[in-house]
Amino acid sequence: TPKPSSAASDVYKRQLPKSSIKLILIKIRFIILIIKIIWSVMMKMITAIINPIRVYDVRSALNEIGINGMTVTEVKGFGRQRGHAKLYRGEEYAVEFLPKTKIEIAVSDDSVDEVMKVIIDNAKSGKVGDGKIFITDLESAVRIRTGERDDSAL
C-alpha cells in the first residue's frame, strides 16, 4: 500500500482548536432548532376575557365548530371601563374590578382565525367591556392519560 505523503499525514494529525469545535456545535444545534420550528406543528393558546353573560353563547358556538375543550375561569378586572358606581341600601360605592370570564383554548395554528371570529361574533355587544382576545404561541402540549403530544393532544 502506498504510504501517504508527509503533507497529507500532517492534515490528519492537525486538530481544530476547541473554540472552533464549540462554534461548529452551536451552529449545528441552531440549524436543528430551525428545522424543528419549520417542521413542527405550530399551536396557539387563545385567551379571551369576555362578559360573563356571553360565556354560554361563546361555548355553544365553539362546540359547533368542533372546539370541545376549554378552560373557563371567573376573574375580575378592568380596562377602559374602569369600573363603575353601584347603589347598595341607598349608598353609592365604587366597583373597581368588574366580573369577567376568562376562556383559554389551545388550538392548532390553522384554527386560530376561525376560533377568534366565533368568539368575537358571540361575545360582542358593541358596548364598552366586551373584552379582549390574546393569542400566544404554545410550544408543546401533552395529554397526560395517553402521552399524546402536540396537535394530537388537543
Side-chain angles (χ1 to χ4, degrees), residues 20-32:
S20 295
I21 293 172
K22 286 181 182 179
L23 185 61
I24 291 169
L25 289 174
I26 289 170
K27 287 180 180 180
I28 291 171
R29 286 183 189 140
F30 181 73
I31 291 168
I32 291 170

Side-chain angles (χ1 to χ4, degrees), residues 55-67 118-119 122:
V55 72
Y56 292 104
D57 295 337
V58 170
R59 179 180 171 226
S60 298
L62 287 170
N63 283 337
E64 287 176 16
I65 64 164
I67 304 295
V118 166
I119 293 170
N122 289 278

Side-chain angles (χ1 to χ4, degrees), residues 16-133:
L16 290 171
K18 287 186 179 183
S19 60
S20 295
I21 293 172
K22 286 181 182 179
L23 185 61
I24 291 169
L25 289 174
I26 289 170
K27 287 180 180 180
I28 291 171
R29 286 183 189 140
F30 181 73
I31 291 168
I32 291 170
L33 177 66
I34 296 298
I35 290 170
K36 282 182 180 179
I37 290 171
I38 291 171
W39 289 103
S40 68
V41 175
M42 299 302 251
M43 298 174 296
K44 302 287 185 185
M45 177 64 76
I46 299 177
T47 304
I49 310 294
I50 64 170
N51 196 325
I53 62 172
R54 304 280 182 173
V55 72
Y56 292 104
D57 295 337
V58 170
R59 179 180 171 226
S60 298
L62 287 170
N63 283 337
E64 287 176 16
I65 64 164
I67 304 295
N68 299 313
M70 63 188 76
T71 301
V72 178
T73 312
E74 293 178 8
V75 296
K76 291 185 179 201
F78 69 91
R80 288 185 180 164
Q81 218 172 352
R82 305 216 190 257
H84 62 274
K86 278 200 170 193
L87 279 175
Y88 180 71
R89 294 191 178 182
E91 292 199 27
E92 190 174 300
Y93 66 98
V95 176
E96 293 179 2
F97 294 100
L98 301 172
K100 298 289 179 188
T101 300
K102 178 179 175 180
I103 300 173
E104 296 172 298
I105 310 163
V107 298
S108 61
D109 198 29
D110 57 344
S111 304
V112 172
D113 292 331
E114 183 181 19
V115 170
M116 200 167 47
K117 183 181 181 329
V118 166
I119 293 170
I120 291 169
D121 290 346
N122 289 278
K124 185 177 183 178
S125 70
K127 298 177 184 171
V128 175
D130 278 347
K132 288 197 172 45
I133 299 173

